[in-house]
Amino acid sequence: MRFILNVIWLVLCGLWMAIGYVVAGIICCALIVTIPFGIASFRIAAYALWPFGRTTVERRDAGAGSLIGNVVWLVFAGWWLALGHVFTGIALCCTIIGIPLGIANFKLIPVSLMPLGREIVPSDRPFATR
């Protein structure tokens, strides 16, 4: 079932959202100082491309640096990507088949707003890193 949902996701919105994250990552890497944001953006792009069967957990070693970085990310790139998730989630929820995909889009909003200090893990073992 995860494979089918991922394929439908990829066709309807995953590819477009991943392209948005890759563009944000390229811009961040071009600015040199924001390379950690670019790496986080590429990581989330892979997650946005194929999300079913994976989840995000907070990293135990994340400290004040990731909090400050998340605030900077939120101001410059996070809210644009979160708006993309909101609009595609609403559009997908307008159809019966798209409701699980719309819910998955809404679940990606916190990750798009605050990506630093989070890790993507398989959903069958979300506490394996702790």
Side-chain angles (χ1 to χ4, degrees):
M1 188 62 153
R2 276 189 248 162
F3 179 76
I4 294 169
L5 282 172
N6 277 322
V7 169
I8 295 171
W9 171 272
L10 181 68
V11 171
L12 293 180
C13 67
L15 183 64
W16 309 113
M17 291 308 299
I19 289 172
Y21 283 107
V22 168
V23 168
I26 290 171
I27 292 170
C28 287
C29 286
L31 297 175
I32 306 295
V33 176
T34 55
I35 286 177
F37 302 123
I39 293 169
S41 185
F42 293 140
R43 187 176 61 237
I44 297 170
Y47 180 52
L49 200 58
W50 203 258
F52 293 98
R54 299 189 293 172
T55 189
T56 62
V57 294
E58 291 183 22
R59 291 178 45 173
R60 295 184 74 169
D61 59 347
S66 45
L67 175 68
I68 294 168
N70 278 331
V71 170
V72 172
W73 172 265
L74 176 69
V75 170
F76 290 108
W79 69 279
W80 286 102
L81 296 166
L83 279 176
H85 285 296
V86 167
F87 290 134
T88 55
I90 290 170
L92 287 169
C93 284
C94 289
T95 66
I96 292 174
I97 285 250
I99 290 174
L101 304 174
I103 292 171
N105 241 324
F106 296 139
K107 286 182 181 179
L108 281 169
I109 292 172
V111 177
S112 69
L113 290 174
M114 304 280 183
L116 300 176
R118 302 206 55 88
E119 187 174 358
I120 300 166
V121 297
S123 60
D124 57 347
R125 49 193 163 119
F127 301 108
T129 60
R130 293 182 181 192

